[in-house]
Structures are given as C-alpha cells and as structure tokens.
Amino acid sequence: MRDVTAATVRTLAAVLGAGALLLPSALAPVPVGHSAVVALVVALWCLLVARAGGTARGGAVGFVRRRLGFRAARTVTGLYFAGFATGQAAVALTAGEFAARLGGDAYGWSVAVLLAAATWATYRPRPLSTPVRRLRLAAVLAAAGGWWALGGAPDTTASWWVLLPLLFGWVGIEGAVPGRSGLHIEGAVPGRAGPHIEGSAPRRAGLAGTLLGVTAAAALYAVLLRPPAPLADLPLAPLALLSALVLALYCRTNLQSTGARWHELTGRPQAQGTATAATLALVTLTLAHLGGGTAAVLLLLPGSATAAILAVVAVAAVRHLTNRPKEKKPHDHDHHRPLEGAARPRR
C-alpha cells in the first residue's frame, strides 16, 4: 500500500502545476466529458508504455532513443523545446491578465512577466529547492481553488478542439510511467547475475499508483474546469496577485527547462537556449496580441507538442513490443550438457 501511495503522489507531483491554474482560466467552463476523454487516452497510453518498460528511468527522450534511435530522440527533445518555449506565451499572458486586475494593460504585464522570468532564469539558474517547489504547488492549487470558488457561468457549448489544449495539463506524465511486472529488462543477459531488479509486487504497485494518480488528477481538472455559479463582492486583488506571482515562478522554471533542452540539441550554453526560448515566446505573445488571440488559442501550440511527444513515445513502445525477440525453447534432442568454460554465442 505504501508503494501505491508513493507512486500516486509522484504522479500527481509530475502532472499538477501551472496547468491547474492556467487551464481553468483559459478554457473553463469545459464539459466533464472532454476531461474524461483526455484522461482515458492518457491512462491507456500509460498502460502501453508501462508494458514496453516504462519511462520512469531515462524519461521520454531516453525511452525513444533506446527503441527508435538518436534521430527520433532528437525530435522529442526538439518538441520539448518548442512546446515549452511557445507555452510560456500562454503562461505569461495569463499572468498578465491576473496582474491587470490590479491595474494596467494585460499585454504590458505579460511582457514584463516574461522578461523578468527570462532574466531570473538566466542569471540565477539555480533550481528551486524541494520545499519551495512544494510551496509553489500548494500556492497554485490554492489560487486555482480560489478562482473556482468565485465561479462562472456553466456552458456545455465548448468545441472538441479544446481537447488539444487540455493536454497541456498532462505535461510530466510522459516521463513518469513505471514498468509493468514481468517485463523484459533491457541489457539483461539470460543466465548471468545482474544488478538488483525490483520484484513484480513493487512494479505492479507502481503502475497501480500511477493510474490512481492519473485518475485523481483527471478528477481535479474536471472539477476546476466546471466552476459553480458565480459569487459576487469578493476581494480579488490578493488572489490575482498570488496567481500572477506563482505563474511567473512557473514561467521562470520552464524557461530553465528550455535552456537545458537547447543544450541537448545544440551543445551550446543553456543561457543561450533560455534567451532563444524567451524570444520565441515573446514573438508568439506579440503575434497573438496583434491578432486578438487568447490564452486558449496559445495553448494549442504546447498542446500540439505534447500530443506529438506522446505519439512518438507510443510508436516507440509499439515498436519495442512487436520487435521483442522471442525466447527460444530447447529442443528435445538438445540434451547434451555444455562443457564448463566453453564459449557461448551472445544473444
């Protein structure tokens, strides 16, 4: 039970983040059926990837590299960079819209958030400590709950195109899927002692916990995306300020991640990648502003990148399962014992 709980918490920590505040602000209200469809796809994807060995060790890039090769892995890394970079336009715009409740122009606040986050990520690249990350997650969930309590007018006319932006809320699941029990272990040689490998019970518990985490996250998203009837005469300034600040903090961390992906792609310094990603996000944000685009439209870009990453990982999983070598069965006449020390062909 402890293993299941730990896996559930790890899954929730990997999935929940800025999306808990950003998606309801940009898309709500969204029918429960839309959230359920996305959650079902994610759960089935997890089962497929777990059967092929899981992504918890090595992440999505490592999973694809071992099964489809270096070029496919670089494609996944490029999708990460593009998705994170363009996604920060939506994060910054939403933060700007929250800040604009205190006064000023939303676009101006968005540019300020983006530039401040980029500067912070470049000149103070130290990652956040575990307590700070936990506090940030608590703050974003509290802000999301506060806006949910303020409510909105429920409407079931949302189009199916919102399924793609909804995938933004599942970023992180692609690198947190454990392997299923009884799977082929890469690098293991039959008949030889190897490193300690977790037994079937912990593996089964890990997968069960992952699916429970997916279910819990899906339920939370479904609730947040369907706010109740609106409430009036509540103080909005503190909640708006908290929402803007926590999204700016997520923007800073995400820009750091794009710098790391840039380094993987080009071998150049991470600071250059952070600056490149911030520039791409600023251009995307400006084009959306000039064209009257909303955060929901901007979320189509990182949502598409997430869908593409999940698709590539799924192809790698199917390739691994279909090309897995079958174990040879000994023939009845092969009864001679091999001599000790005799050379054996490698498998």
Side-chain angles (χ1 to χ4, degrees):
M1 184 63 183
R2 183 180 301 175
D3 293 333
V4 175
T5 302
T8 302
V9 172
R10 284 196 300 270
T11 302
L12 289 173
V15 171
L16 296 180
L21 180 58
L22 180 59
L23 292 181
S25 174
L27 301 174
V30 175
V32 175
H34 290 58
S35 300
V37 168
V38 175
L40 179 60
V41 171
V42 170
L44 294 176
W45 180 89
C46 288
L47 289 174
L48 171 65
V49 174
R51 188 177 181 186
T55 58
R57 297 178 180 179
V61 174
F63 182 89
V64 171
R65 182 185 297 114
R66 290 189 297 270
R67 291 159 177 81
L68 296 181
F70 181 72
R71 290 185 177 179
R74 280 182 62 85
T75 299
V76 173
T77 303
L79 288 170
Y80 269 120
F81 178 83
F84 270 94
T86 57
Q88 300 327 295
V91 174
L93 177 57
T94 305
E97 290 173 346
F98 282 129
R101 291 176 176 268
L102 306 175
D105 175 64
Y107 174 72
W109 278 114
S110 303
V111 173
V113 166
L114 189 57
L115 294 180
T119 302
W120 190 7
T122 301
Y123 295 102
R124 300 287 291 182
R126 183 180 303 175
L128 298 178
S129 63
T130 300
V132 173
R133 290 199 303 270
R134 290 174 179 173
L135 182 60
R136 182 183 63 174
L137 178 58
V140 77
L141 292 178
W147 290 111
W148 179 86
L150 292 175
D155 184 9
T156 59
T157 60
S159 301
W160 283 99
W161 67 268
V162 302
L163 293 177
L164 204 55
L166 284 176
L167 280 176
F168 179 85
W170 294 97
V171 173
I173 191 64
E174 75 284 345
V177 181
R180 197 185 67 173
S181 60
L183 291 175
H184 167 72
I185 306 300
E186 293 186 29
V189 179
R192 294 186 183 179
H196 173 71
I197 300 175
E198 296 179 356
S200 60
R203 287 174 174 272
R204 193 179 299 113
L207 180 56
T210 299
L211 294 178
L212 282 176
V214 169
T215 303
L220 178 62
Y221 278 131
V223 170
L224 292 177
L225 288 164
R226 292 290 294 171
L231 300 178
D233 299 328
L234 292 178
L236 299 180
L239 185 56
L241 180 59
L242 174 63
S243 302
L245 289 177
V246 75
L247 285 180
L249 190 57
Y250 272 104
C251 185
R252 177 254 187 185
T253 303
N254 291 339
L255 287 175
Q256 278 185 307
S257 298
T258 58
R261 300 297 181 180
W262 176 267
H263 178 71
E264 294 174 12
L265 284 171
T266 65
R268 297 177 180 177
Q270 293 189 18
Q272 184 184 92
T274 299
T276 303
T279 302
L280 180 58
L282 181 59
V283 171
T284 304
L285 178 63
T286 302
L287 291 176
H289 173 69
L290 295 176
T294 63
V297 174
L298 287 175
L299 283 172
L300 286 170
L301 300 174
S304 299
T306 303
I309 291 172
L310 296 180
V312 174
V313 173
V315 170
V318 172
R319 176 73 64 85
H320 174 76
L321 293 173
T322 55
N323 293 345
R324 186 191 306 175
K326 297 182 179 180
E327 184 178 352
K328 295 182 180 180
K329 296 181 180 181
H331 298 286
D332 294 336
H333 61 274
D334 292 340
H335 58 275
H336 300 288
R337 293 181 58 188
L339 298 175
E340 291 188 18
R344 301 180 185 178
R346 294 184 180 179
R347 298 185 182 180

